[in-house]
Amino acid sequence: MNFNQNYFEIFGLPIEYDIDPGGLSDRFLELQKEVHPDRFASSSEQEKRVAMQWATLVNSANETLKSSLKRAIYLLQLKGVELEENPQLPPAFLMEQIELREKLEDIEDGDGDLDELDSFKREVKGVVAAIENKFSDLVTEDLAKAEVLVYEMQFLNKLLIAANQLEEKLLDY
Amino acid sequence: MALLQITEPGQAADPHDRKRAAGIDLGTTNSLIASVREGVAATLPDMEGRHMLPSVVRYTAEGPIIGAEALEQAALDPHNTIVSVKRLMGRGVEDVRSLGEQLPYRFSEESSGLARIETAAGVVSPIEVSAEILRSLVERASETLAGELDGVVITVPAYFDDAQRQATKDAAQLAGANVLRLLNEPTAAAIAYGLDTGDEGVIAIYDLGGGTFDVSVLRLRRGVFEVLATGGDSSLGGDDFDHAIAEWLIEESGFEGDLSAELQRALLMKARSAKEALTSAEQATISHSDADFKVDAELSRDAFNELISPLVDNTIRACRRSVRDAGVALEEIDNVVLVGGSTRVPLVVSKVADYFGAQPLNDIDPDKVVAVGAALQADVLVGNKPDEEMLLLDVLPLSLGLETMGGLSEKVIARNTPIPIAKAQEFTTYKDGQTAMLIHVVQGERELVDDCRSLARFELTGIPAMVAGAAKIEVTFRVDADGLLSVSARETSTGVEASVEVKPSYGLTDDEITQMLKSSFDHAADDAAQRSLAEARVEAGRVIEALGNALAEDGEALLPAQDIDMLQQAIKKLQERLSGDDTRAITEGTEMLGRASEEFASLRMDAAVRRALAGKQIADLDNEMSDNEV
Ligand SMILES: Nc1ncnc2c1ncn2[C@@H]1O[C@H](COP(=O)(O)OP(=O)(O)OP(=O)(O)O)[C@@H](O)[C@H]1O
Ligand SMILES: [Mg+2]
């Protein structure tokens, strides 16, 4: 196994942010059909071990490439950018965040209306989609700016997780 | 009894090449074994034509009695008759008590960790009880198939945690079965349905048995069964309906005080009969009368529905969560399949239909579908169908986490992550010169460690002594295709491997298993030696065969002539050792051949991956061309 191959190369995809989800999942299935340990259930221990390593690698690659946030972080890493733990964010973005947080709290403090929560999530996803679009262009032009966009995505992702947790609570999972 | 072997049309031409494989549904209430014969997967009956083996073991001084005969004695000999042992697998006594379970067993006092039961035949662990059930089924199959089984697939509830899975695998080892794979029960049912209809799309499997509830959402596409999400409750099933009825009965009778073990078991069995009667009748009568307990009650279906309604609602909640985790909309689910005896209860059917907005399917016998699916998978895994495209991609049912400061669980691998998977986490020392570290692994979704299942405590030793915070210890968690966890650790700055000692919280240690294996061959040491020689030969034969096939297929394309020559020499050497009876020489020879072929195994895999992607590239091109035409 060539451990130097990156996730894009493993899937035979160009190293770029935009990805076709259908194509990714087709390739994922084709690869697992070849490398999954079940294909080697009656082979030697060596082959089983190699299969296990490959199947694990293909699953990890798929997990990273499938998620728009993880893919963005990964792409920056490939380009040698080291992400900071506590980054500085543009004040305008932070203002927007505070407003969104307050909105979520209002939903929670109110009756916890599921429809409101739904439209809130849609709003946040819209903001994320716009940032992802910008990222896709900037990652080839201006890495410093692209890096800031990833921090913004991380921020919004945390907000979505909080929204999902509220949803779980409301639905009584 | 020797049966004639008949070659199946379209199967391996040489009947000697066909391997014997079986699928086992090791159920809470009933267990079954199935096999593919003449191209058809079916459950195998015992000599008296019974397919289901009640999962009951009665221990007597003369030895264990298994199945229907044991069940008949359950109320007379409750202490020695172990019923629903699956609910105890991988669990401690406190767990069982905290689940509110009233069980008529004498739990051994010394049992910290894994629950153990005192019986007329000594103290037994649930793993040994399950091994008896498995052994009985495996024997049935080898008689029917006229020969030892080459491998089995054993099903487990999808929602089983690591300890419960490990316990099942240990039971199989004690029973002397070669486990090809642990397969999730709903996934097995999906195989039986999917291969039967050939339909593609998204399906939900709702499996409510005697002791466990599972729901899985799968996508079927191009022969691949991809589990998108799974959920459930590994201690919710028909048994709980019985308990609810029994409690109601006790209330009706006005009885106060402690029930004897005999009475508990008798009431539970009567409750079960009433419950099953209410599936077709509107009303059931339950009566019991002895010196201390007298009751004569009428239970209507409506009243029964009211008793179990909260339990059924819990299952629907789990469905909702799994559908959400799967990332599909309810409307995208093409079919809902019912599995397990408890899905015969009318209230269950109607609540499932209500939630999914569709009439669920139950065309394949819900009692047998899991065993049949497992048999189909076993047939593929054992190598009887080299051209079969079928593949299962399953997920981790419950998040894996580590205990951090303040008793919190930090998630390392999230639930519903596709397996196999590996994740590494970095730790550091907090004291100068610290050389050991304790890591507590838990499973579950809750934030507090105490609310999760404790899987094991790992002690890392051999960390090089450094100042606090300087050592970087990378701990890697691996979950294999059976959903089983293993852990390794390395100090990254020096590359020193730290050794990991596993103390399972609710399981047997390797030593205990070895001990049990030894004592289960209570005969002379000779037998054990014979057995390991036979096993060594089988393994060597397998490696020789696999490598021979691989060389014939890809040798010339991938290896220089001298390497092929070297491998063939190595095969020949091992073959020579095979004719002798030196177990160690054979085992070492097998290992050597394995190491010699490691590089070749990697090359073959690389080539397979290239082929898969090359096929993809051409397919993409085709797509683009047809896109252009539109
Ligand atoms: N006609 C019926 N009506 C209601 N319940 C039934 C009926 N027939 C069987 N059951 C119940 O189904 C349960 C057994 O189902 P099944 O055999 O599928 O479970 P299992 O496979 O042993 O358990 P599990 O899958 O949970 O390990 C028992 O609780 C039994 O009482
Ligand atoms: Mg079952």
Side-chain angles (χ1 to χ4, degrees):
Chain A
M1 178 176 1
N2 185 354
F3 283 105
N4 297 324
Q5 275 190 324
N6 68 46
Y7 290 164
F8 291 96
E9 288 164 347
I10 286 167
F11 274 70
L13 291 167
I15 305 177
E16 56 193 26
Y17 186 63
D18 289 332
I19 218 166
D20 158 35
L24 180 70
S25 104
D26 283 356
R27 280 157 198 263
F28 171 66
L29 291 191
E30 290 311 316
L31 283 173
Q32 284 294 12
K33 274 188 182 177
E34 293 297 333
V35 304
H36 194 276
D38 280 2
R39 287 268 177 258
F40 302 87
S42 44
S43 306
S44 67
E45 290 305 318
Q46 276 67 33
E47 283 192 299
K48 281 186 200 166
R49 204 167 49 228
V50 177
M52 170 82 171
Q53 287 170 343
W54 259 103
T56 302
L57 183 65
V58 169
N59 274 335
S60 306
N62 189 48
E63 190 184 319
T64 300
L65 295 183
K66 213 169 55 179
S67 142
S68 48
L69 173 59
K70 287 183 185 159
R71 191 169 68 243
I73 295 172
Y74 186 69
L75 199 53
L76 285 187
Q77 275 170 356
L78 285 183
K79 292 181 186 276
V81 178
E82 273 198 38
L83 294 184
E84 285 169 45
E85 297 240 352
N86 299 306
Q88 287 274 328
L89 283 166
F93 176 79
L94 288 176
M95 284 307 292
E96 194 189 14
Q97 286 309 298
I98 292 169
E99 277 165 30
L100 285 170
R101 280 273 164 192
E102 279 171 356
K103 222 173 187 173
L104 184 62
E105 277 162 24
D106 286 346
I107 298 175
E108 186 166 10
D109 295 341
D111 302 337
D113 188 275
L114 277 172
D115 289 334
E116 266 179 55
L117 185 59
D118 241 24
S119 75
F120 174 78
K121 276 168 65 177
R122 238 173 296 130
E123 181 186 344
V124 177
K125 282 178 187 163
V127 179
V128 174
I131 298 178
E132 284 169 6
N133 264 335
K134 264 201 265 172
F135 178 85
S136 164
D137 294 333
L138 283 179
V139 75
T140 56
E141 297 160 11
D142 187 337
L143 282 178
K145 282 195 183 136
E147 185 181 337
V148 174
L149 291 178
V150 164
Y151 298 138
E152 296 186 0
M153 286 186 216
Q154 282 176 324
F155 229 94
L156 288 159
N157 188 53
K158 283 196 192 119
L159 187 63
L160 274 176
I161 291 174
N164 282 333
Q165 277 165 348
L166 176 60
E167 188 180 67
E168 286 193 10
K169 213 168 92 190
L170 295 179
L171 289 171
D172 186 22
Y173 284 133
Chain B
M1 178 176 47
L3 292 178
L4 276 182
Q5 290 252 329
I6 301 166
T7 323
E8 294 170 18
Q11 296 286 339
D14 181 355
H16 298 294
D17 282 354
R18 232 186 118 61
K19 303 241 165 67
R20 294 182 188 85
I24 298 179
D25 175 0
L26 184 60
T28 310
T29 324
N30 299 298
S31 297
L32 295 105
I33 189 161
S35 186
V36 177
R37 289 189 294 168
E38 311 191 13
V40 181
T43 51
L44 308 177
D46 67 5
M47 305 274 257
E48 279 157 67
R50 297 173 295 200
H51 290 251
M52 292 213 237
L53 177 75
S55 307
V56 183
V57 180
R58 179 178 173 216
Y59 286 91
T60 70
E62 286 79 49
I65 301 169
I66 296 132
E69 219 185 305
L71 178 62
E72 279 163 22
Q73 305 297 318
L76 297 177
D77 188 14
H79 296 301
N80 297 310
T81 311
I82 319 299
V83 176
S84 299
V85 67
K86 189 170 171 180
R87 303 187 78 147
L88 305 178
M89 292 288 268
R91 303 244 167 228
V93 183
E94 328 83 70
D95 287 329
V96 179
R97 299 233 166 92
S98 73
L99 291 170
E101 214 129 335
Q102 292 273 331
L103 294 172
Y105 309 129
R106 294 195 198 103
F107 286 106
S108 167
E109 281 308 319
E110 58 187 303
S111 50
S112 64
L114 187 66
R116 286 168 214 251
I117 304 166
E118 287 172 12
T119 73
V123 175
V124 295
S125 74
I127 295 175
E128 291 162 280
V129 180
S130 298
E132 293 296 346
I133 300 168
L134 289 172
R135 200 174 289 130
S136 159
L137 291 169
V138 167
E139 268 166 27
R140 180 195 292 185
S142 5
E143 274 163 28
T144 317
L145 304 176
E148 294 244 331
L149 293 181
D150 294 292
V152 296
V153 167
I154 301 179
T155 62
V156 290
Y159 216 56
F160 253 19
D161 63 32
D162 185 79
Q164 294 169 306
R165 282 167 199 270
Q166 191 60 56
T168 307
K169 208 162 180 182
D170 291 345
Q173 198 190 344
L174 285 182
N178 171 32
V179 182
L180 298 166
R181 186 84 138 68
L182 295 180
L183 176 61
N184 289 331
E185 287 163 13
T187 312
I191 298 175
Y193 268 91
L195 292 187
D196 192 45
T197 62
D199 286 351
E200 304 222 315
V202 180
I203 59 173
I205 310 275
Y206 179 102
D207 179 353
L208 189 62
T212 59
F213 168 64
D214 275 335
V215 51
S216 286
V217 181
L218 299 97
R219 174 174 281 130
L220 266 78
R221 201 151 56 103
R222 295 200 252 150
V224 180
F225 294 73
E226 188 183 4
V227 179
L228 301 177
T230 199
D233 186 335
S234 63
S235 49
L236 172 63
D239 281 4
D240 298 290
F241 298 175
D242 304 348
H243 280 277
I245 297 179
E247 272 161 33
W248 171 82
L249 265 183
I250 294 167
E251 223 165 85
E252 286 288 292
S253 76
F255 179 87
E256 278 175 23
D258 284 340
L259 298 177
S260 70
E262 285 77 6
L263 186 55
Q264 266 184 51
R265 183 55 70 204
L267 289 184
L268 283 174
M269 289 172 87
K270 284 185 177 166
R272 194 208 291 194
S273 310
K275 169 191 75 178
E276 292 178 6
L278 285 171
T279 288
S280 44
E282 289 294 330
Q283 193 88 4
T285 314
I286 315 172
S287 53
H288 184 93
S289 150
D290 65 27
D292 356 281
F293 191 91
K294 199 167 155 51
V295 71
D296 215 342
E298 285 282 325
L299 182 62
S300 71
R301 183 183 296 160
D302 285 343
F304 168 63
N305 285 352
E306 212 167 293
L307 287 175
I308 63 165
S309 188
L311 298 171
V312 183
D313 288 344
N314 281 344
T315 70
I316 300 298
R317 202 170 299 136
C319 289
R320 213 157 48 198
R321 179 160 111 164
S322 292
V323 169
R324 184 167 170 274
D325 282 356
V328 297
L330 213 45
E331 305 75 59
E332 285 176 72
I333 297 176
D334 300 295
N335 277 311
V336 181
V337 174
L338 294 182
V339 182
S342 298
T343 59
R344 294 202 174 88
V345 173
L347 184 72
V348 170
V349 183
S350 71
K351 290 212 177 203
V352 172
D354 270 359
Y355 170 65
F356 285 100
Q359 205 48 45
L361 305 177
N362 58 359
D363 335 357
I364 305 185
D365 185 343
D367 291 327
K368 294 182 179 163
V369 62
V370 168
V372 165
L376 289 166
Q377 162 83 333
D379 197 43
V380 173
L381 292 185
V382 84
N384 282 341
K385 289 193 158 173
D387 299 324
E388 177 60 61
E389 285 270 284
M390 176 183 107
L391 181 68
L392 308 182
L393 300 175
D394 228 307
V395 298
L396 181 73
L398 293 148
S399 303
L400 284 169
L402 293 172
E403 175 167 354
T404 60
M405 297 290 211
L408 295 178
S409 157
E410 179 176 329
K411 305 273 178 290
V412 180
I413 308 182
R415 73 164 185 265
N416 292 320
T417 298
I419 51 176
I421 193 74
K423 289 262 162 85
Q425 187 100 346
E426 205 166 80
F427 295 88
T428 189
T429 46
Y430 63 93
K431 268 197 220 139
D432 287 346
Q434 185 180 345
T435 58
M437 180 179 279
L438 194 69
I439 293 181
H440 184 196
V441 185
V442 298
Q443 195 163 23
E445 309 313 316
R446 306 280 295 276
E447 266 172 39
L448 290 180
V449 162
D450 286 346
D451 296 331
C452 295
R453 297 274 307 150
S454 166
L455 290 184
R457 289 182 159 79
F458 298 97
E459 174 150 23
L460 301 183
T461 52
I463 301 170
M466 297 184 208
V467 292
K472 297 251 174 313
I473 299 122
E474 187 185 72
V475 181
T476 305
F477 298 82
R478 280 195 184 74
V479 180
D480 68 12
D482 289 333
L484 289 173
L485 171 74
S486 61
V487 180
S488 61
R490 206 166 57 92
E491 204 290 308
T492 48
S493 64
T494 57
V496 174
E497 292 275 329
S499 51
V500 177
E501 203 194 327
V502 188
K503 294 194 194 88
S505 304
Y506 300 104
L508 299 174
T509 61
D510 286 348
D511 284 350
E512 283 174 299
I513 291 179
T514 316
Q515 206 48 48
M516 285 177 183
L517 272 174
K518 269 196 196 132
S519 59
S520 72
F521 308 115
D522 37 11
H523 1 285
D526 241 22
D527 254 18
Q530 280 300 326
R531 199 183 151 92
S532 34
L533 176 60
E535 276 169 7
R537 282 195 173 133
V538 169
E539 179 59 21
R542 212 161 51 112
V543 172
I544 291 174
E545 190 188 323
L547 183 56
N549 289 341
L551 279 173
E553 256 172 54
D554 293 326
E556 278 179 28
L558 299 177
L559 292 177
Q562 75 212 50
D563 286 8
I564 300 182
D565 207 48
M566 187 269 291
L567 286 175
Q568 268 157 353
Q569 292 293 338
I571 291 181
K572 212 177 273 161
K573 275 211 195 97
L574 180 56
Q575 272 163 340
E576 278 160 22
R577 289 188 183 189
L578 260 183
S579 54
D581 52 13
D582 182 346
T583 307
R584 231 179 80 194
I586 296 174
T587 311
E588 280 173 8
T590 309
E591 274 165 23
M592 255 150 56
L593 185 58
R595 271 199 300 279
S597 63
E598 205 147 335
E599 175 71 20
F600 182 43
S602 288
L603 286 174
R604 289 192 74 211
M605 195 66 91
D606 292 347
V609 168
R610 276 198 304 276
R611 270 200 304 274
L613 289 179
K616 200 64 220 95
Q617 251 104 39
I618 291 167
D620 281 355
L621 218 60
D622 283 352
N623 281 341
E624 275 160 31
M625 284 165 70
S626 52
D627 283 350
N628 288 343
E629 279 161 27
V630 176

